[in-house]
Amino acid sequence: MLCTRLTNANILTMDPDHPVAHDLGIWRGRIVGLDDAVTSLPAREVVDLQGATVLPGFIDSHVHLAWTGLKAATPSVAGRGRIEDVLAVVAEAVSRAPEPGTWVDIAGYDQRALGRHLTAAELDRVAAGHQVFLMHESGHACVVNTAVLDRLPAGVPHQDGFLAEGAMSAARALRPPYSQRELADAIERAGRTCLAEGVTACAEAGIGGGLLGHSPVELGAYQLLREQGRLPLRVQLMAAADTLRPVTTPTEDGIPRALGLGMRTGFGDDWLSLGALKIYTDGGMMARTAALTRPYEGTEHLGQLQDDPQRLLDTIVDGHLAGWQLAVHAIGDRAADLALEGIERAQRLRPRPEARHRVEHAGLIRPDQLPRFARLGVSAVVQPNFLHSFGDDYSAIMGEERAPWMYRGKGFLDHGVTLVGSSDRPVTDGSPLTAVQFMVERASASGRPVGPDEAVTVDQALHAYTVAGAYACHWDDSAGSLTAGKRADLVVLGDDPRRVAPSAIAAIQVVATFVDGTRTPESKAL
């Protein structure tokens, strides 16, 4: 007997051998079969979907769950367009802080809304003896007050309290780590938001270190949720590259640096596992720190790499030699050159064609770089919603020639590069359907076209959030399509993204989300 049979549905399986179905059978969290294979089988529960559309659960291949959950519970200056309004939010947060000298976090900082950066002196006016830290919306920069600056190691660069990339990390290192309980609560909050948007699995893009690590024992927060039955969706964890340590092993192992006990990509189970090694090479466009080969439009500024290029290359090679899948953060084209060079060197030293290395963001990719992606078999893990939210700004700072090269779609596909969809939540909107709409329309929220020649079809966009996401996370044997034997992770939509006008895709209702064949609490009544 089946546990559940979904019937009278428009099931888009993403499986070319059986692309559309009307019935789907579930037993013990797995898909048993489709249509005639299950229609006559008895089931404990039969759900008539009355023509609703069913897709594999969306896979968000690059998120920050802890940051998302913590940000939601942190005072925010998002949307404030005047310095005094920002300072008023800070003053209110400081007034609720405990004894003087404690750390006060503020979210939502973005200098673009203000026309310039805040200064440490301005924060000092309302800090009342506290250490104030305003996190930039990009996650690549911050503004702090003098109480924080006074504690920084000598030589850490800043501009009147504004710190970017490694300098921001130095400031974050001064903050007491979050407890595992705090992190677990934040992760659960964020995970439930993902489920409400049809996301059933995701890859957490860097824990334990790097720019966005929240604790040296951060993995324990995820394990705590798993033990308590509170992990809302499947999570693959990327270890930050600076968590690797030099090791002495037999020569034949060929492992120069490793995570504790030699753990690497693949450790774990269907719910919680280790994924790629996250390596930052540059910053971001929002903070103007993405590393470019030509300056930002109207400036002489080229952005910045995270470290000495040779050290970055060594880290990429060492991660590969230690058996990791690599997820190399590269937004600017100069950073992408470095990422591809490191992966090519690594594969020459020890060929691992099955590694499925990834470039995270691939935010600005020149035409000459596309064939190199393809030749190396590197996936491009893009965030279409960046251009939906920030496309006007990004187009202006890249200029007319380079704007079409941002967060490509068709260009990657035409060269045979695996195109993977993701959100980088909470930097901007995490909705997969909003991203699918952008990939098809290539229009920003204002309606401005952004590289229209990079538009893809609806099917190709859905593929990026299902089949390609599963491939990028090494889940393709159990997820990404609604195929017999795979996990019964699926999303029920109020309409078919292929049949509505492209401009209506983002507004399609997520009716229900199933994980392991069980309807999640975030689902609507069926």
Side-chain angles (χ1 to χ4, degrees), residues 65 183-193 225 229-233:
L65 293 179
L183 290 174
D185 290 346
I187 294 160
E188 183 179 21
R189 276 195 300 273
R192 302 235 166 256
T193 300
L225 286 172
R230 295 168 50 205
L231 190 62
L233 73 171

Side-chain angles (χ1 to χ4, degrees), residues 361-398:
H361 308 296
L364 185 75
I365 301 300
R366 304 185 309 270
D368 65 285
Q369 292 174 313
L370 293 170
R372 197 173 187 191
F373 267 84
R375 179 166 51 82
L376 293 173
V378 174
S379 298
V381 183
V382 301
Q383 296 76 40
N385 281 344
F386 278 11
L387 294 187
H388 171 75
S389 298
F390 313 128
D392 295 352
D393 175 55
Y394 286 12
S395 294
I397 62 174
M398 288 300 117

Side-chain angles (χ1 to χ4, degrees), residues 132-398:
V132 180
F133 181 99
L134 273 69
M135 174 68 111
H136 196 275
E137 282 284 69
S138 67
H140 285 265
C142 65
V143 176
V144 301
N145 68 327
T146 302
V148 177
L149 293 179
D150 288 345
R151 295 183 57 204
L152 287 173
V156 173
H158 72 89
Q159 302 169 19
D160 295 326
F162 173 73
L163 301 98
E165 309 304 341
M168 182 200 75
S169 295
R172 278 175 58 85
L174 301 174
R175 189 199 191 284
Y178 289 94
S179 70
Q180 288 194 353
R181 179 189 58 78
E182 289 176 297
L183 290 174
D185 290 346
I187 294 160
E188 183 179 21
R189 276 195 300 273
R192 302 235 166 256
T193 300
C194 291
L195 287 175
E197 295 177 347
V199 176
T200 57
C202 67
E204 170 71 56
I207 65 166
L211 290 175
L212 296 170
H214 295 94
S215 164
V217 291
E218 194 166 358
L219 190 150
Y222 293 87
Q223 191 169 355
L224 179 65
L225 286 172
R226 181 82 171 98
E227 291 167 350
Q228 295 177 344
R230 295 168 50 205
L231 190 62
L233 73 171
R234 305 184 197 280
V235 181
Q236 188 177 88
L237 303 172
M238 298 185 200
D242 58 357
T243 60
L244 299 188
R245 295 292 178 264
V247 293
T248 301
T249 61
T251 303
E252 61 266 28
D253 287 349
I255 300 175
R257 283 187 271 177
L259 196 63
L261 301 178
M263 289 191 297
R264 57 178 172 80
T265 303
F267 182 83
D269 60 21
D270 277 353
W271 276 90
L272 183 62
S273 61
L274 272 181
L277 182 70
K278 175 70 177 295
I279 302 171
Y280 287 94
T281 64
D282 72 341
M285 290 186 188
M286 195 188 307
R288 311 310 197 231
T289 52
L292 310 178
T293 53
R294 287 164 39 199
Y296 288 86
E297 194 74 4
T299 77
E300 297 181 357
H301 182 53
L302 291 168
Q304 65 188 79
L305 295 173
Q306 290 284 352
D307 201 347
D308 173 77
Q310 188 56 55
R311 281 197 289 268
L312 291 171
L313 289 170
D314 289 345
T315 299
I316 292 170
V317 171
D318 286 356
H320 173 90
L321 295 178
W324 287 90
Q325 178 190 22
L326 303 177
V328 186
H329 168 114
I331 292 185
D333 61 328
R334 178 159 56 108
D337 280 335
L338 188 147
L340 295 171
E341 175 62 26
I343 291 170
E344 187 162 17
R345 288 187 190 185
Q347 290 284 20
R348 280 201 305 264
L349 285 171
R350 182 180 296 172
R352 288 176 51 218
E354 79 290 350
R356 302 187 187 179
H357 295 323
R358 314 157 33 146
V359 168
E360 308 299 299
H361 308 296
L364 185 75
I365 301 300
R366 304 185 309 270
D368 65 285
Q369 292 174 313
L370 293 170
R372 197 173 187 191
F373 267 84
R375 179 166 51 82
L376 293 173
V378 174
S379 298
V381 183
V382 301
Q383 296 76 40
N385 281 344
F386 278 11
L387 294 187
H388 171 75
S389 298
F390 313 128
D392 295 352
D393 175 55
Y394 286 12
S395 294
I397 62 174
M398 288 300 117

